[in-house]
Amino acid sequence: MHSPSPLRQLLLELLALALLVAGHLAIQWQLSGYYFTLKDGTIRWLPIVVSTTPALLFYAAARLILPNILSMVLVLAADLVLAVINQQKLGRINEVLSWTDLTETRENIHVVMEFIQPTHFAIVGAALVGLFIAYRLNRRVDNTPGFLIYKLLVIGFLTPLVFNDHLVNAEVLGKNNAYATFLKGADLKYRRSEWFQNSRIQGLVMHVIQTSARTMPRAVSTEELALAEATRKKPMPPVERRKKIVVILCEACWSDKTHFDEAYEPLRKLGFKGMTGVSPSYGGGTANASFEWQTGLPANGVLNGVVYQEYAGVMRKSVDSLAQSLRSDGYQTITAHNYRRKFWHRHEVKPKLGYDKFIGLEDMNLDGYQRKRNTWVDDEFLYKNVYSYIDSNEPVFLYLTTMYTHAPVWHKEGDMGRTDFGTRLEHAVQRVAEFAEYIRQRHDATIIVYADHKPLMTDYFLDSGVFSADMFFQTGKNDEGYLFREDADQKIIGSVPVYVYDKNEATVDAFVKEANGLPFYCQSTLFNKHFVGASVLAQQFALDKGLCQLNAQYNYEAMKQPYPSWLYRMSLFEH
């Protein structure tokens, strides 16, 4: 069989490249929300070209061992699958895809599989069929000396463009750096604190590559170190601290005054008082909500992504948190979650947060319990496995994370999941109330219960008026088809119920009045101020600077800005 002529080889190569670029741009346009134009309508020519370089590089690498059409289909298939995965993550937890999502799948796959739908198999199947057809039609690899040199030259040219430190660090390089100045002017700088926007500016694949360079708070200056030490020395306001302090994160346990409010009546009957808080998450990403409540730091801004997943390995062995401070004051610190220990790297992060013991699902006595299909392990077993710690004679700080109301797939039953979610919510809150009543009758305790985020019921929220259509730049036929606008108000997206109990009603009233409607990191700070009195650097800083003394009209994004980089470095990392 004769080799094709050089002209035919060239034409096939150009055809494959043209189809690759067209397909890549179409995927960015239809599935990734890529910005092809500026706000004034001007086409972003240079950023568009740069956004195609990862696809071209991977195509050139594949061409070393595969023919052109097959290489093109392979790269587009991977591009499509990444875009679909990104849409799923955005639709479910309003977080964009990152490098660690693709490299830390061993534990996350357990939850990922819960969300797999027939359409996902169809997409993967179509990609495989496309690859098979391309292989049958195009099996010859052209590695003549001329074409091999061409491939190597393309790889050598594109690699420094794609894996470019300046692209990642343009935002922080000096003003006199000409390359960084050019990148900024061309709208190509990496938005390290705005991943959602970055993915739409850089292109999804380039964004994923950029997130492989973890964003870390910069080194602490001598002046900042002195400020941190001075802040640590400032005493917390004196409080009447209880011997038992219990924080319960109730998974997706959402309500407001007109939706599911009756579910929380068991807590109100016990004397709990309610307010609202603002979660950094939506539909998932429980770890970020938990991070804010335990450290008093905003989860996103200086840090990126799901904090536990991105930073577990680089956090120092002892970070500043409520648990850490209480342990140093003689409290036994226990945390428990009726799910797998390793999910979101909790098994690494919890000890660093200062917990003496982390009880995961693997550690629990389930008494032969068998989980029903489309449900999670009943929260009853979460509480059963911590009674012994509550009843000990020691002072105890207990941080619990429930699971029963976790997504996915509320049974729709023609009402977008309202009935099924409502039933699960009532069950979960009743379990909380039973546990709280047990504690109240036997111990001097402060108890706070908060929902980590709204459940994944976007179509229901839009239909019932909780959300408005102008909050989305894309809507769909199911929950995953909805994508929030970048300027959608997190105070609406993240608004969730918070309930608190303490026998000193005046203190409870003061806390609710001061903390109502604020982000979790501020509510944690004010909870510490009124009930705990623990020395936690970020919370001492916030109180000293008055960062949580804001009215209901505050701007959610602006509120995070006064939390400086050095505060994260001193609180979480070696410095």
Side-chain angles (χ1 to χ4, degrees), residues 258-492:
T258 56
H259 305 88
F260 309 109
D261 184 56
E262 66 282 356
Y264 276 95
E265 188 59 27
L267 289 184
R268 290 191 287 266
K269 287 181 178 179
L270 295 177
F272 280 79
K273 294 190 177 180
M275 60 179 181
T276 61
V278 181
S279 170
S281 306
Y282 172 75
T286 298
N288 278 1
S290 183
F291 171 83
E292 291 198 347
W293 254 99
Q294 293 176 94
T295 65
L297 288 165
N300 297 121
V302 174
L303 306 182
N304 303 121
V306 179
V307 174
Y308 286 8
Q309 177 172 285
E310 300 292 334
Y311 296 94
V314 293
M315 285 183 183
R316 67 172 183 258
K317 292 182 178 180
S318 176
V319 305
D320 275 17
S321 72
L322 281 173
Q324 200 73 258
S325 183
L326 284 168
R327 182 165 70 172
S328 68
D329 288 347
Y331 275 68
Q332 187 180 22
T333 53
I334 307 296
T335 184
H337 180 33
N338 46 330
Y339 194 63
R340 293 179 176 90
R341 294 172 51 83
K342 293 184 179 180
F343 188 63
W344 288 140
H345 294 263
R346 285 186 177 94
H347 68 299
E348 293 181 70
V349 176
K350 291 294 188 179
K352 294 181 178 184
L353 284 168
Y355 291 100
D356 297 315
K357 189 175 184 63
F358 172 31
I359 305 169
L361 184 62
E362 301 90 332
D363 309 307
M364 293 182 178
N365 179 5
L366 300 182
D367 297 324
Y369 174 80
Q370 294 294 321
R371 170 186 156 192
K372 296 179 181 179
R373 188 173 181 271
N374 290 329
T375 64
W376 302 93
V377 173
D378 196 312
D379 297 332
E380 172 188 11
F381 296 99
L382 171 68
Y383 304 119
K384 280 185 175 181
N385 281 272
V386 297
Y387 279 125
S388 62
Y389 299 101
I390 279 291
D391 289 338
S392 71
N393 292 324
E394 298 179 73
V396 175
F397 174 63
L398 191 62
Y399 188 96
L400 305 179
T401 303
T402 75
M403 194 68 184
Y404 188 73
T405 39
H406 198 289
V409 191
W410 315 113
H411 297 301
K412 296 298 181 180
E413 299 176 0
D415 65 356
M416 290 172 281
R418 186 197 185 287
T419 300
D420 185 36
F421 172 72
T423 301
R424 295 198 211 180
L425 176 63
E426 290 175 0
H427 182 85
V429 175
Q430 184 58 44
R431 294 295 194 204
V432 175
E434 292 167 0
F435 183 61
E437 177 63 6
Y438 179 92
I439 297 173
R440 273 193 349 140
Q441 290 178 357
R442 294 164 176 79
H443 303 286
D444 187 27
T446 299
I447 308 171
I448 194 158
V449 181
Y450 73 97
D452 57 340
H453 52 67
K454 283 183 172 70
L456 185 67
M457 297 171 61
T458 315
D459 49 357
Y460 171 76
F461 292 137
L462 183 59
D463 182 74
S464 62
V466 176
F467 292 158
S468 58
D470 61 5
M471 294 174 64
F472 303 92
F473 76 82
Q474 177 179 309
T475 58
K477 296 180 180 179
N478 53 46
D479 294 313
E480 300 79 29
Y482 291 88
L483 298 179
F484 289 103
R485 292 170 55 94
E486 292 171 30
D487 57 357
D489 193 348
Q490 187 64 27
K491 289 191 294 182
I492 299 174

Side-chain angles (χ1 to χ4, degrees), residues 188-237:
L188 282 168
K189 71 175 184 178
Y190 173 47
R191 270 72 171 177
R192 62 183 59 246
S193 62
E194 300 169 321
W195 274 9
F196 182 40
Q197 185 183 33
N198 189 68
S199 69
R200 301 184 69 190
I201 288 173
Q202 305 285 359
L204 177 62
V205 180
M206 181 68 84
H207 164 78
V208 170
I209 292 170
Q210 289 174 338
T211 60
S212 66
R214 181 186 291 110
T215 300
M216 289 289 292
R218 58 174 175 75
V220 181
S221 69
T222 303
E223 293 78 13
E224 290 165 343
L225 182 61
L227 178 57
E229 292 306 316
T231 301
R232 288 187 193 277
K233 293 177 181 178
K234 293 182 179 179
M236 293 290 291

